[in-house]
Amino acid sequence: MRASDRRTPVGRVELVFIGGAAGLSIWALLEKAHGVLTNPQLFVGVTSAISGYFVVLLALIGLTTLLRSAFAAAVIALPAALLLFWCSLRFDTLETFVEAGHPIFTWALFLFVGTPFIGVWLENSRETFNYARLFNCTWAIVVRYSASWLFVGLFWVVIFLSDALLQIVGVRMIEKLVEIEPVNFVLSGAVLGLGLSVVFEMREYVSPFLLLRLLRLLMPVMLVVVLVFVSSLVLRRSPELFGELSPAATILAVAIGAISLISVALDRRDVEAVTSVWMRGSAALLAVLLPILACLAAYAIWLRVVQYGWTPSRLLASTVCTFILIYGVCYAGSVFLRGHWMARIRRVNTLLAGGILLVCAAWLSPLLNVESISTNSQVARYLSGAANIKQAALWEMAHEWGRSGHQGLIHLEKLPEGAPVALSEAIAVARKSVDRYRYEEVNEIRSEVSSEKALALHALVRVLPVGLDLNSGVWNALPHYRLEEWLDLCRRDRAPGCVLILDEFDPTKSGKEGILLLPGRGDTYNAMSVRLEGDAFTAGSYINGFGSVGIKRDHVQKILGGSYRIGPSSQKSLWLGDIELRPKN
């Protein structure tokens, strides 16, 4: 297919063939390559090279001749694959590398940001950094791929419906065809190529114009949300907001959304940007608020780093936050300088896109080895006394941080005489434990965060009968996710809150049983069975299922007022000596 609008079947055949080849290659890599490419790093390099090459090639075809597009795709896909291969050397196994997540994300981001530059270079090498062309190329690729994948989905809906119809008369031709291993991949790739070809041919009609106009409408909504958030934060002045990393992640996501919407509103040139005064004002005000979001996210991340040290996820969050802070300062500065502030923001976008490419390359290279940085941070915290054995990220070093983490554990094991025996035991348990929760359970490790949550939950739950003295430590035995779930429900600003009724509901068992009443939707409550044996709670299941117990807020108020009784069940049982049988339907 040429740059000119070729509407002949030859152009479609080219893309169908390339798409089918891409699908066949992906199938071979996923299903067959493991037996040939036994080295995990080599598997990563080959897989990323082939998959990245086809993704970029399908995005570029149509801008110029097939041969030039093939060469241009290799220009960006092969260096990206080499960088990912380089990064995979940090890990011993493919599973650990994939579970780390950030290398694959960085590789995909490198391709996503770099492909428009290659596309513009193919069309006119002298305008590679022209913002208008980059803007057009980026959104054209997004729309082409989105429409084509939608077409692939519709294709398979038609295939499945056709198969169901033919099976009524005993014809299983389609079923037998799709059961052949590579057919699904080849068909999906071929249909994707056909869709890309048709969308390119119809580019006069299937353009990003409609999508961009719709996205512009979201900008005032985003502005209102950010204004309400910042205003509420100033009025509340609550330090609890920054107790977890999750608020920082949310703030970063909102900031990225704001940057995208501002760029959409400013479009390629001033003549195509939003024209109304209030829309331009919204874009300018959102740009001014961006540094505030970046600073709040940076503060939240800083609190976690000071308290718990560096980890790969915190390094990723801090890197993203640094870029957002640069975006925010440049955007706000452009607005304050007035004049051609929209043109300045477009130049910032071009420069920072190049900066993202450089940082992605550094992230995948030894220049920014986040596993090594994290390991050094955690080991240093333990050696300096800032972290004890319970707070040291021993399990993460053993299972998630690759070879650097293993080296960190070896370094801790080689500490001079006088090092606590518990450290060696904890390292041994960390290596043997399949998951982190099992490690904490076996090693009897409960983090300070969990203890704080257990103490907070103890203060929020009202226990009946009145006067029953419970130690706050009884909640420590609960899993992390259960503590977080109950704490979130009990913190809802709604009376009467969470209520626990304890008694000997089952005299045949030691300890006490209880019913924990938790706020649900509206004025409803859910009831969960719990058991107290010794000094530890064990969570059971929701009584009558989640959301179907039928308890309202008024019922809980009456319980707190003493209007309840504990007595025998209303059901009958079949007794065979000491054996009790009861039907459950």
Side-chain angles (χ1 to χ4, degrees), residues 151-432:
F151 177 58
V152 173
L154 293 175
F155 167 80
W156 282 109
V157 169
V158 172
I159 289 294
F160 289 138
L161 288 176
S162 302
D163 179 52
L165 181 64
L166 292 178
Q167 286 192 27
I168 295 176
V169 293
V171 178
R172 300 183 177 274
M173 177 180 60
I174 296 178
E175 180 184 12
K176 292 179 180 179
L177 179 64
V178 296
E179 284 178 353
I180 302 174
E181 284 192 347
V183 168
N184 292 342
F185 286 87
V186 174
L187 278 178
S188 296
V191 174
L192 177 65
L194 179 61
L196 288 168
S197 174
V198 174
V199 173
F200 183 79
E201 292 173 4
M202 305 295 293
R203 59 190 178 278
E204 296 290 335
Y205 307 98
V206 186
S207 72
F209 181 82
L210 177 61
L211 177 61
L212 294 175
R213 289 301 183 273
L214 291 174
L215 288 175
R216 287 182 180 185
L217 301 178
L218 298 178
M219 187 179 59
V221 179
M222 177 70 77
L223 175 62
V224 172
V225 171
V226 173
L227 282 173
V228 171
F229 170 74
V230 173
S231 302
S232 300
L233 185 65
V234 172
L235 294 175
R236 284 179 57 191
R237 297 181 181 179
S238 174
E240 294 180 0
L241 175 68
F242 301 104
E244 302 288 343
L245 183 59
S246 53
T250 303
I251 295 170
L252 290 176
V254 171
I256 292 172
I259 292 170
S260 302
L261 292 177
I262 293 170
S263 300
V264 167
L266 302 189
D267 214 285
R268 298 172 297 177
R269 293 179 287 267
D270 287 357
V271 293
E272 289 157 330
V274 288
T275 55
S276 62
V277 175
W278 73 278
M279 284 293 285
R280 287 200 176 187
S282 297
L285 184 55
L286 193 58
V288 171
L289 291 173
L290 198 55
I292 299 176
L293 292 177
C295 290
L296 290 173
Y299 178 63
I301 297 169
W302 176 78
L303 288 177
R304 297 287 288 184
V305 172
V306 169
Q307 190 173 7
Y308 301 111
W310 287 109
T311 64
S313 60
R314 290 178 196 133
L315 283 165
L316 178 61
S318 63
T319 303
V320 174
C321 186
T322 300
F323 266 101
I324 291 176
L325 186 59
I326 296 173
Y327 269 105
V329 171
C330 293
Y331 277 25
S334 299
V335 173
F336 288 135
L337 290 175
R338 303 188 64 80
H340 300 289
W341 63 275
M342 293 188 290
R344 283 192 289 268
I345 287 180
R346 295 188 194 99
R347 285 196 293 271
V348 168
N349 286 346
T350 304
L351 292 174
L352 288 183
I356 291 173
L357 287 174
L358 292 176
V359 172
C360 286
W363 187 279
L364 295 174
S365 73
L367 292 175
L368 196 52
N369 188 332
V370 294
E371 284 77 21
S372 178
I373 295 172
S374 301
T375 299
N376 293 337
S377 171
Q378 297 298 328
V379 170
R381 291 181 72 250
Y382 177 78
L383 295 179
S384 66
N388 54 34
I389 296 176
K390 296 180 179 180
Q391 297 166 330
L394 301 180
W395 188 87
E396 287 82 353
M397 284 190 270
H399 296 278
E400 292 184 345
W401 296 353
R403 295 174 179 175
S404 296
H406 298 164
Q407 291 298 320
L409 293 180
I410 293 173
H411 179 73
L412 290 175
E413 286 179 318
K414 292 181 178 179
L415 290 178
E417 294 184 4
V421 177
L423 175 61
S424 299
E425 295 176 350
I427 291 174
V429 172
R431 285 173 173 156
K432 294 178 182 178

Side-chain angles (χ1 to χ4, degrees), residues 435-506:
D435 58 73
R436 182 177 179 179
Y437 296 112
R438 178 63 58 87
Y439 161 66
E440 293 182 352
E441 179 182 351
V442 174
N443 212 34
E444 297 181 353
I445 293 178
R446 303 301 298 179
S447 65
E448 290 186 0
V449 175
S450 297
S451 300
E452 292 173 2
K453 290 181 178 179
L455 189 62
L457 183 62
H458 180 72
L460 291 171
V461 176
R462 306 171 74 173
V463 183
L464 296 176
V466 177
L468 182 63
D469 186 22
L470 276 184
N471 191 314
S472 61
V474 297
W475 307 96
N476 281 332
L478 292 169
H480 295 289
Y481 74 91
R482 189 68 73 188
L483 274 174
E484 293 175 356
E485 175 192 359
W486 289 358
L487 192 58
D488 180 60
L489 292 172
C490 296
R491 275 177 169 167
R492 292 182 178 179
D493 189 15
R494 193 180 74 190
C498 295
V499 178
L500 172 64
I501 303 100
L502 281 175
D503 208 300
E504 294 182 357
F505 284 88
D506 190 349

Side-chain angles (χ1 to χ4, degrees), residues 44-46 48-49 76-89 107 364-365:
V44 168
V46 173
S48 59
I76 185 172
L78 294 183
L82 288 174
L83 286 169
L84 193 62
F85 168 78
W86 205 356
C87 182
S88 69
L89 296 175
W107 167 76
L364 295 174
S365 73

Side-chain angles (χ1 to χ4, degrees), residues 124-141:
N124 190 339
S125 59
R126 291 175 296 181
E127 296 186 348
T128 302
F129 300 98
N130 182 282
Y131 182 79
R133 284 186 171 273
L134 289 170
F135 187 89
N136 273 347
C137 187
T138 301
W139 284 103
I141 291 173

